[in-house]
Amino acid sequence: MRGAGAVWTAVTSTVTGPGHVRSGLPNQDRKLVRSINPRCCLFAVADGAGSYRRSDQGAELAVGAAWDAAEHVFGAGMPNGLGGWSAALRDFQSECLERFDRGVFELTRRVLAEHPDEPETEIRASFATTLLAVVAQPPYFLYVSVGDCFLVVHRDPGGPRLVVTASPRENVGATTFLTSGNRNQHIQSHVIVDDRITAMAVCSDGLAEGMLTVAGTPNGDLHYQAPPEFRKYFDYFGRHAAADGELEAYLKSAQFAATSTDDKTVVLAVRRSAPAQQVEVHDDAQVGQ
């Protein structure tokens, strides 16, 4: 089967958005790439909400919860067939949410012990973050998303395709976070079976204006799309993953930074056939702009 024995090469970077730099805020995005087994990997990005003071901790909890959930669901063995992967998706989604909630509960208890006058509901809300987690073992790919991170896959043949996203800012109301009361009504999750997927980009919302295009529908709504030119990211960084700092420098460039004041985080992963036993990760340092 094409892709048998495939492993992943991933290049990642996160940069602090210009708006956060001006305000003295830290980078509130988090990312995680980790092998579950020699052929299966977890890719996760969390985007802490800039207006919430503990959102960086919330984002850290979110990617940690995704990894713990992946270990719990897939660590003992991989599912078989679409039915098995669909069941695993339900378990993975439930474990992600439950483990995040437990982490927030424990941190809330600690904050209350030091600041008993701070309302408990406000403490919980202060960990506001989104999450997009992808478990990939070709030809199976599953994802769980809460909020406005986005996922682009590249199909060969077929080109780039936007799989997960939120509406463009012109269409958006309030963002749904993992801490939102209506979270469970706004979860996106699915299993994709497609051995033509050769690359993925898991991105925080701060990259949408710089990497995606917007198209209108007959009823006037706007929707993001992954342009054909998106493949240049996979082509270049798939071949030059070891070029330290190049992705970071691209995200820091004045032209790209001007597209959004938000933090920008990306995980680019390209399939390759090799005897490697785990994902090969090239991680650019987190930097300010």
Side-chain angles (χ1 to χ4, degrees), residues 28-29 45-56 58-59 62 96-97 100-101 104 121 124-132 144-149 166 169 172-188 205 262:
Q28 292 159 319
D29 287 358
V45 167
D47 184 351
S51 57
Y52 293 83
R53 58 177 171 152
R54 300 183 182 95
S55 62
D56 54 339
C96 282
L97 300 179
F100 176 81
D101 288 342
V104 169
T121 55
R124 175 179 168 78
S126 71
F127 296 102
T129 184
T130 64
L131 173 67
L132 173 56
V144 173
S145 178
V146 176
D148 49 16
C149 295
R169 298 185 191 280
V172 170
T175 301
T176 301
F177 302 114
L178 284 171
T179 51
S180 298
N182 63 346
R183 171 191 71 189
N184 292 351
Q185 287 74 53
H186 295 275
I187 298 172
Q188 299 182 69
D205 178 56
D262 200 2

